[in-house]
Amino acid sequence: MRRPFMTHPDQLASLDGQQYLVLRPTGPVSAAYRHVQGELLAHVPTGTKHPHTEHVTLRGFFEPERRVEVAALVRDWAAAQHPIEIIADAIDVFPAPWQIVITRLARTPSLVSAYASLTDAVARTDFRRLDELPLDDWIFHLSVVYGKTLEPAAWTELEQASRRDLTARPSCIAADVELVWYEDGREHAEVIPLG
């Protein structure tokens, strides 16, 4: 059974009308992520928001009326895209104003190439993109805990307790992507094979 990425009703409502292209890490990357997330959630107030499942976001869209067209573009892109190597480098943070603990990923050749080719494909459209940055500015990551609602002292403590290198550098290969969309307070997804 597919494990959803987001489950909190507030998060689902805030994402309504949006679509995301994501990678779902497996094996050692997934295990390391869940270990760190469990450890950190034990030290923050109950109810602190976080992803329900680990994922690498490659692109976000706001196209509630053109979801079928977005899906067609993603399928065409995925057909030409080779599997993608994901390597976890460190536990890090996006500081204020975002206040998110992340698992920072290595810029593997396949991950960088995938982002670049997707940028080229999307640039030929007028789709509304969310939080898009140039390749050189994008930090590949898995969001672990959303700390924006924490009191300043609690965020500072979480930030300091979180940061560390991952000496084992867990890795996996993603052989597919998921196009995830949010509608009427629910998460939907299509799994699309690469290559």
Side-chain angles (χ1 to χ4, degrees), residues 59 77 110-122 135 140:
R59 201 62 98 243
W77 168 83
S110 57
L111 187 55
V112 169
S113 173
Y115 191 91
S117 66
L118 182 59
T119 298
D120 291 345
V122 172
L135 176 59
F140 294 102

Side-chain angles (χ1 to χ4, degrees), residues 9-180:
D10 292 348
Q11 288 174 309
L12 293 171
S14 73
L15 294 168
D16 203 60
Q18 299 177 25
Q19 305 83 38
Y20 291 89
L21 183 63
V22 302
L23 302 171
R24 183 187 293 260
T26 59
V29 176
S30 177
Y33 173 92
R34 291 183 188 189
H35 174 77
V36 168
Q37 188 182 59
E39 173 189 289
L40 296 179
L41 288 175
H43 297 289
V44 296
T46 301
T48 300
K49 292 188 177 103
H50 57 87
H52 184 64
T53 302
E54 57 278 7
H55 59 282
V56 183
T57 301
L58 295 177
R59 201 62 98 243
F61 303 93
F62 183 75
E63 286 296 345
E65 306 302 323
R66 297 194 293 174
R67 187 182 55 77
V68 170
E69 291 88 342
V70 170
L73 173 109
V74 168
R75 283 189 215 102
D76 287 347
W77 168 83
Q81 175 62 50
H82 297 294
I84 300 168
E85 184 179 29
I86 300 170
I87 301 174
D89 265 347
I91 307 304
D92 205 346
V93 300
F94 291 141
W98 302 279
Q99 294 183 201
I100 304 171
V101 178
I102 64 168
T103 299
R104 187 168 26 86
L105 302 178
R107 293 175 71 85
T108 64
S110 57
L111 187 55
V112 169
S113 173
Y115 191 91
S117 66
L118 182 59
T119 298
D120 291 345
V122 172
R124 295 188 290 270
T125 74
D126 64 348
F127 293 146
R128 289 172 286 181
R129 278 105 65 192
L130 302 171
D131 302 322
E132 185 176 66
L133 291 173
L135 176 59
D136 290 344
D137 297 334
W138 187 252
I139 297 171
F140 294 102
H141 67 280
L142 309 164
S143 295
V144 180
V145 176
Y146 302 124
K148 195 167 186 130
T149 61
L150 296 176
E151 294 294 328
W155 167 250
T156 299
E157 184 179 327
L158 179 63
E159 184 178 22
Q160 291 171 351
S162 300
R163 287 189 166 154
R164 68 194 94 142
D165 289 332
L166 295 174
T167 53
R169 298 188 76 222
S171 67
C172 68
I173 301 291
D176 53 45
V177 293
E178 292 186 43
L179 180 61
V180 183

